[in-house]
Structure formats: structure tokens, C-alpha cells
Amino acid sequence: MSVDTVIEVKNLSFRYAGERKQALKDLSFTVGRGEFLCIIGPNGAGKSSLCNALVGLIPSYFSGAKKGGVSVLGQDTEGTSVANLASKIGLVFQNPFNQISYTTSTVEEELAYGLCNIGAPRDEMRRRVKEIAETIRVGGLLRKNPLELSGGQIQRVAIGSTLIMRPSILVLDECTTQLDPLGSEEVFDIVKRLNKDGITVVMVDHDMERVARCADRVLVMNDGQLLAIDTPRAIFNGIFQSHGVDMPEYARFGAAMSGAGMYGGPALLTEREAINAGKAAIAV
Amino acid sequence: MRIEIRDLRHTYPTGEEALKGVSFTIEGVTPVAVVGQNGSGKTTLVKHFNRILSPTSGAVLIDGVETTKQSTAKWSKRVGYVFQNPDDQLFLNSVRKEFEFGPERVGVPAADIQKRLPEIAELCGLGDKLDSHTFDLTATQKKFCAIGSVMMMDPDVIIFDEPTCGQDVEGSRRLSEIIGHLEKRGKLCVTISHDMKFVAANFPRVVALCHGRVLIDGDSREVFAKPELLKKSFVSPPPISRVSLGMGFEKPAFSVDELVETMKARRRKMA
Ligand SMILES: Nc1ncnc2c1ncn2[C@@H]1O[C@H](COP(=O)(O)OP(=O)(O)O)[C@@H](O)[C@H]1O
Ligand SMILES: Nc1ncnc2c1ncn2[C@@H]1O[C@H](COP(=O)(O)OP(=O)(O)O)[C@@H](O)[C@H]1O
Ligand SMILES: [Mg+2]
Ligand SMILES: [Mg+2]
């Protein structure tokens, strides 16, 4: 394992107890320090299961038959306690209601929950809660009961309660599904900023335009298998529609222009690239 | 079908004025999309269509009858509302029971229920899940279970509150199919959505709300041709529309193929 590899997945397979089908089938890949990796694939592909495996919830929390393994910062996740892992790698769940503890009565307590569990000193706790509340913009909600929040607010608190453990790797499983486009961009901006500051990000996302724009690499899954892992430009040059995931509209536009003999360049990944290529095609 | 909204205002007991005078009319069964940022009043608005909420002032008339003239129970036979969060709606222990519950409660004969059930289950992609517990469904399946159980009531108007969140190609395709199916059967479908690709592809009419008021209401081509105005409700036209507008075309394209065709025509003209 090179010094710059922070996650190594090796021949990982998993079948949930009581299920016949393998949820994960012989996956191998690595994630580099500071990388922004996006995972895409249709519902049921195994994306959430992979997230669970990355943070050690598989197999410590979900029982089943596991083969191969995951190591995070050089440590095998199997046999490492979840509490120990939480300071290395944090998961923001697909459903934020699965994330909140239901045992706290204010957002402030909810954010501090993880720190409380590891016995952090009170001042330290207060300082970090304040800092995180600012990062995720829930400063005005600290005294509210988590159960009274809107979906979008809850989603931010869920991210906050993960971030507060200061993991160096952040795994986000479709964490903006409850948000409107603006709220979703806001949360996403937070994630991008954290990534700029050096945090490694693994993110499951359905928004292909965003994936094309932001990922360093894209991992495509279907039916428990890893189909490809490569740069967005390489991935969206191919034909992944057949695997139940959309291509970003810009890339489809590029492909359609190529088909009509109007464009011959690489896959288009952003609105700007698409507009420029389109203008060039009608300027001739 | 006619829904008339007259200067509708709604203030919640907390003092929050969620709707500040909304007026528009829906006539016929052409699907309508309601868009706008979180908190703009979309859910509050549509909850008035079957009197889950009553106006603080103003009125909603369904085929000329004020909603306040009848009980919610009565209205729910005509106007079905699929909740934003399916967990707010599902509570029984199998998909089949969820599907049977509504129509049974309002006295639909068992034979009719059994006739509706397989077709709706199929449309919702739950044909082989009828005896599964709703806890065991995936988030998408839960959403379709909630949609199916409202369709089982066979209402004249059906409202979907953010049905596409976090869905993939397959889920959106299925939903388009359901929307098409409803229109063909003479049912009006009103859908709240944040997914502008989905809106452009399925809804000829778009109503955009902003802070409890109607910001724009019109033909979706015209609405998506005004990105600057739409920004106020934090809505952005679908990516391919933005590309076509960015290239200098006046009308927003709604699909990649459409844009490429327009470009071909432009090139022919210039040649
Ligand atoms: N807790 C669980 N118990 C049993 N099977 C599960 C569980 N979670 C997921 N699965 C199954 O594993 C497969 C992959 O699911 P999942 O990882 O949730 O996919 P995705 O996140 O890509 O939608 C599916 O067949 C799903 O039914
Ligand atoms: N039950 C409620 N009690 C008090 N305020 C509410 C309630 N439901 C919604 N609101 C408020 O009304 C406004 C509009 O909310 P809503 O109709 O849910 O918007 P949208 O569906 O567009 O996100 C928001 O400011 C929201 O906080
Ligand atoms: Mg998932
Ligand atoms: Mg709403």
C-alpha cells in the first residue's frame, strides 16, 4: 500500500445474512489521499453496501458472509472498533433519519453526541460544536429538537455529526436527496470545501452533471460489481446508459454532435464546455 | 376537471404566512408541475386541494365546489395526495394491505379492488412485492408503494409531492409512465418537483412559487426561457435548456436530440 493510498479494497464480497444474492461481488480498488471519488449506479447496485463496508459497518453491524477486505489508513476495518474508525472515516447515511440518535433533545446535543461517546472534555466539545454549526450553517437551530427539523436541515445536522469527529475521509451516501437544488448545492459546496482542505471524499450521487464536474474519478457499479473506475472524461466517453445510469446531459450532447459530424473532441463535462462546443459547431 | 385557486392565503398556527395570495386555475388534465425552493409554499398549496389544509382566506374550488364545503375524507376520494415522505403515509404490514386499505375504507366493492390491484402494482413495479412488508422495501419502492396506494383510490386528481428525489433512470422512467397513464385515463396530475429535467420532459405547464406567491405560471418552454426570473425561486432550467440558451437560441431545448436538430437546421440555413 503506497503512502498516498487511504483506502484499499481487496477482493471484497458480501452477502447479507438470510439473502441469496451477493450484494458486493469481488470488488478491488484504492482511493488516494485527498481524492474526490464519486460512486454511481442504479438503485440496488450495492452503493450503500459498499459505503457500509468502507466504514466497517459491514461486517460489525450488518452480519453476513464477507470475503476479502477493506483497509483504511493501513488498518483492516474488520476487528477495528467502530468508535476507533470514526475518527478516520465517517459516513453520512442516505437517510438522515437513520443518522440521528433519537436520544438527544437539541441539535447541539445531537452534534456533540459522538464526542460525548468518546469522552471528550466539555470545553473541547462546545468549541467543536460551535465550529461545526458554522460550517454546516445550522447556528440558528442549535436549541431546536432534531425531530422538528425539515428534511434539509436534518441532512445538514447528519453531516455535522459526522464531521465533528474530524475524520480524514468522508463517505457520503446520496446525502442531498431531501434538499432543493439550492440546498443541495449548499451542502455540496461544504463537501467541496472540505475536500479542498485535504479531506478525502467518497460520494454516492445521482446528479450526473455534478459528478462530471466535480469528481477526480468515478466508480461505476451495477449488480454488486465494479464495472469501471476512471476519470469522468474517460467514463462518460463510454456508454454507461446501458447500466441504468444516466450520462451527464453535456456528455450526451457531445456524443450526439459527434454522431451528426459536428464535434470530434473529448467528452463534454460542464455547461461551459458544452456551450463552447455547440457555438463552434454552428459557427462554421 | 377544473381547480380554481382564488387569492389563497394560509397562515400556520405558528404565525408563519406560507401562502400570501395565490391565484391560478387548472383546466383539463394536462399535467402541471409546481416548482420553487424549499419553504416556498408548494406543499402548503397542494394540501388545500383536498382540504388537508383549509384557507386562512381566499378559496379553492374543485369543479366549482369550495373545498371547505366537504370533509377531507370525502375529498380524498376525488383528490389523492401522495406525501413527500412515504413513511408519513405507509403504516400497514404488506404492500397488498396498503393497496387495499384506502378503497376498502371508502366502500369500494372487493371485486373492483382486486381488479385494480394487479395493474397498479405492475405500473408501480411492485408486482412481485405484494406480500413483502413495507419495511423491507427500498426507498424507491416505498415511494411507489405510496403512489400505488393513492392510485388505488382511483381519484380524479392525483398530487405527487416530490416523487423523484434520489431516484435513478429507472424510477424516473416509471414515474413518466404513470403520469402518461393517468392523463390517458382522464386524470389530472399535479406534481411538485425539484428535478427540472424531469419537469421539462413531462409537464407542459409549470407554476413556480417564490415566498408564498406565484412567480411565473405558463407553458414550460416559456418558463424555462427565463432563467434570470426563475433564479428568484432558486430554480434553474434543465442543463440542456441552459446550453441552448447559452448558445444564443431563443427557445430552450428540452432534449439533446432536439438541440442537435435545431443546430442542423441552423447549419443548413447558413450553408
Ligand atoms: N440491510 C440489508 N439486508 C439485506 N439485504 C440488503 C440490505 N441492504 C441492502 N440489501 C440488498 O443488497 C443489494 C444492494 O443494495 P444497496 O447497497 O442498498 O444498493 P444501492 O445503494 O446501490 O441502491 C440489494 O439487493 C439490497 O436488497
Ligand atoms: N405544519 C407547519 N407549521 C408551521 N409552519 C409550517 C408548517 N408546514 C410548513 N410550514 C412553513 O410554511 C412555509 C412553507 O412550507 P411548505 O409548504 O412545506 O414549503 P415547500 O413544500 O415549498 O418546501 C415554510 O416556511 C415552512 O416552514
Ligand atoms: Mg443506496
Ligand atoms: Mg414540500
Side-chain angles (χ1 to χ4, degrees):
Chain A
M1 190 161 145
S2 100
V3 273
D4 278 312
T5 300
V6 291
I7 301 177
E8 184 168 25
V9 176
K10 224 175 186 170
N11 301 109
L12 176 69
S13 296
F14 186 73
R15 183 168 48 76
Y16 288 95
E19 297 288 319
R20 268 212 231 108
K21 227 181 73 187
Q22 299 262 52
L24 298 171
K25 297 174 185 167
D26 198 22
L27 275 66
S28 297
F29 63 95
T30 60
V31 184
R33 187 181 308 279
E35 193 174 3
F36 199 125
L37 176 73
C38 285
I39 301 176
I40 63 174
N43 283 343
K47 304 179 299 296
S48 295
S49 303
L50 178 56
C51 292
N52 288 335
L54 293 181
V55 302
L57 288 173
I58 283 179
S60 73
Y61 182 82
F62 295 98
S63 54
K66 171 175 165 270
K67 279 202 205 111
V70 177
S71 76
V72 171
L73 299 170
Q75 209 166 11
D76 191 337
T77 54
E78 189 161 2
T80 308
S81 75
V82 170
N84 184 334
L85 277 171
S87 60
K88 300 188 168 66
I89 187 164
L91 170 64
V92 180
F93 287 78
Q94 177 160 7
N95 180 350
F97 297 97
N98 287 342
Q99 188 119 33
I100 56 172
S101 64
Y102 293 101
T103 58
T104 60
S105 56
T106 64
V107 167
E108 186 168 23
E109 287 170 22
E110 187 60 42
L111 287 172
Y113 186 76
L115 289 177
C116 225
N117 282 350
I118 59 165
R122 276 209 93 75
D123 314 346
E124 165 90 5
M125 232 152 64
R126 225 171 265 133
R127 208 162 39 74
R128 282 218 226 168
V129 166
K130 213 172 142 243
E131 181 189 300
I132 287 297
E134 237 158 69
T135 309
I136 57 168
R137 297 195 201 105
V138 297
L141 303 173
L142 288 175
R143 307 249 157 250
K144 275 210 167 178
N145 187 321
L147 297 176
E148 286 167 8
L149 303 183
S150 73
Q153 294 168 331
I154 272 276
Q155 221 143 26
R156 275 187 246 181
V157 171
I159 293 178
S161 65
T162 305
L163 279 182
I164 202 157
M165 305 306 289
R166 295 193 175 152
S168 58
I169 307 163
L170 191 59
V171 182
L172 304 124
D173 190 358
E174 294 186 45
C175 69
T176 60
T177 51
Q178 306 273 332
L179 302 175
D180 62 1
L182 178 78
S184 170
E185 279 313 305
E186 260 178 32
V187 166
F188 193 68
D189 285 343
I190 295 171
V191 175
K192 262 196 309 203
R193 205 168 66 225
L194 290 164
N195 180 247
K196 261 216 182 89
D197 294 343
I199 289 187
T200 305
V201 173
V202 177
M203 186 171 88
V204 179
D205 199 354
H206 271 308
D207 184 333
M208 291 303 135
E209 285 77 31
R210 192 157 68 188
V211 168
R213 193 172 74 227
C214 298
D216 293 318
R217 283 192 304 160
V218 179
L219 188 161
V220 188
M221 284 186 85
N222 195 8
D223 195 26
Q225 284 169 311
L226 185 159
L227 299 179
I229 179 167
D230 210 329
T231 61
R233 201 131 356 234
I235 293 286
F236 296 124
N237 234 338
I239 26 131
F240 279 101
Q241 284 146 305
S242 51
H243 299 292
V245 295
D246 237 343
M247 288 239 279
E249 284 212 300
Y250 313 124
R252 284 203 291 119
F253 177 51
M257 282 197 296
S258 301
M262 292 192 276
Y263 179 68
L268 300 172
L269 297 185
T270 63
E271 185 180 318
R272 193 57 4 232
E273 288 179 12
I275 291 174
N276 290 341
K279 276 185 170 165
I282 51 173
V284 290
Chain B
M1 193 69 233
R2 184 184 163 89
I3 300 180
E4 191 180 345
I5 300 135
R6 280 191 199 154
D7 195 24
L8 177 64
R9 288 164 195 270
H10 189 91
T11 304
Y12 282 104
T14 53
E16 174 91 28
E17 193 184 13
L19 298 176
K20 301 172 180 154
V22 169
S23 302
F24 66 97
T25 300
I26 302 173
E27 187 103 58
V29 294
T30 305
V32 177
V34 180
V35 306
Q37 94 184 104
N38 279 356
S40 58
K42 303 180 298 298
T43 297
T44 305
L45 169 66
V46 298
K47 278 184 172 170
H48 281 82
F49 294 3
N50 64 1
R51 210 194 165 186
I52 297 174
L53 294 175
S54 293
T56 304
S57 73
V60 175
L61 290 83
I62 310 283
D63 280 339
V65 180
E66 263 195 57
T67 52
T68 48
K69 298 266 154 62
Q70 283 183 28
S71 66
T72 308
K74 265 218 161 125
W75 281 121
S76 63
K77 271 190 252 180
R78 292 205 61 200
V79 182
Y81 172 70
V82 182
F83 282 81
Q84 188 162 353
N85 178 2
D87 294 324
D88 288 346
Q89 188 178 331
L90 303 178
F91 63 104
L92 296 166
N93 57 22
S94 76
V95 173
R96 187 185 300 282
K97 285 191 185 148
E98 288 289 348
F99 278 15
E100 290 170 346
F101 177 77
E104 261 173 15
R105 206 185 36 163
V106 299
V108 176
D112 289 354
I113 296 178
Q114 295 316 317
K115 224 174 86 195
R116 284 177 201 172
L117 203 137
E119 188 193 8
I120 289 174
E122 206 48 52
L123 268 168
C124 293
L126 295 169
D128 57 350
K129 294 275 180 220
L130 281 171
D131 296 303
S132 301
H133 198 293
T134 51
F135 291 162
D136 293 330
L137 302 180
T138 64
T140 313
Q141 288 168 338
K142 271 189 200 169
K143 199 95 202 191
F144 279 104
C145 182
I147 289 172
S149 56
V150 172
M151 286 172 74
M152 282 294 294
M153 298 286 285
D154 201 32
D156 301 324
V157 183
I158 194 154
I159 299 161
F160 296 142
D161 197 344
E162 294 188 35
T164 57
C165 63
Q167 255 167 30
D168 56 354
V169 180
E170 172 61 20
S172 301
R173 191 196 50 72
R174 191 177 289 292
L175 206 57
S176 297
E177 215 172 279
I178 291 177
I179 292 166
H181 170 91
L182 290 169
E183 190 181 4
K184 242 187 275 143
R185 301 210 35 222
K187 314 278 186 190
L188 170 66
C189 175
V190 178
T191 298
I192 295 177
S193 181
H194 289 310
D195 180 345
M196 294 308 136
K197 272 197 242 178
F198 182 75
V199 169
N202 294 286
F203 299 90
R205 179 174 175 191
V206 175
V207 178
L209 294 188
C210 176
H211 300 308
R213 291 194 174 91
V214 175
L215 179 73
I216 325 179
D217 169 11
D219 179 278
S220 49
R221 298 260 172 194
E222 276 152 31
V223 170
F224 286 134
K226 298 179 182 125
E228 288 309 312
L229 184 55
L230 274 177
K231 240 186 220 158
K232 278 198 195 165
S233 56
F234 298 96
V235 166
S236 174
I240 203 65
S241 303
R242 294 173 54 96
V243 170
S244 60
L245 295 172
M247 283 172 61
F249 289 109
E250 217 162 276
K251 284 237 159 149
F254 276 10
S255 75
V256 166
D257 292 340
E258 193 190 305
L259 178 54
V260 171
E261 284 311 313
T262 316
M263 289 169 66
K264 280 187 194 161
R266 166 74 61 96
R267 277 163 56 117
R268 274 196 300 273
K269 227 165 82 186
M270 290 191 319

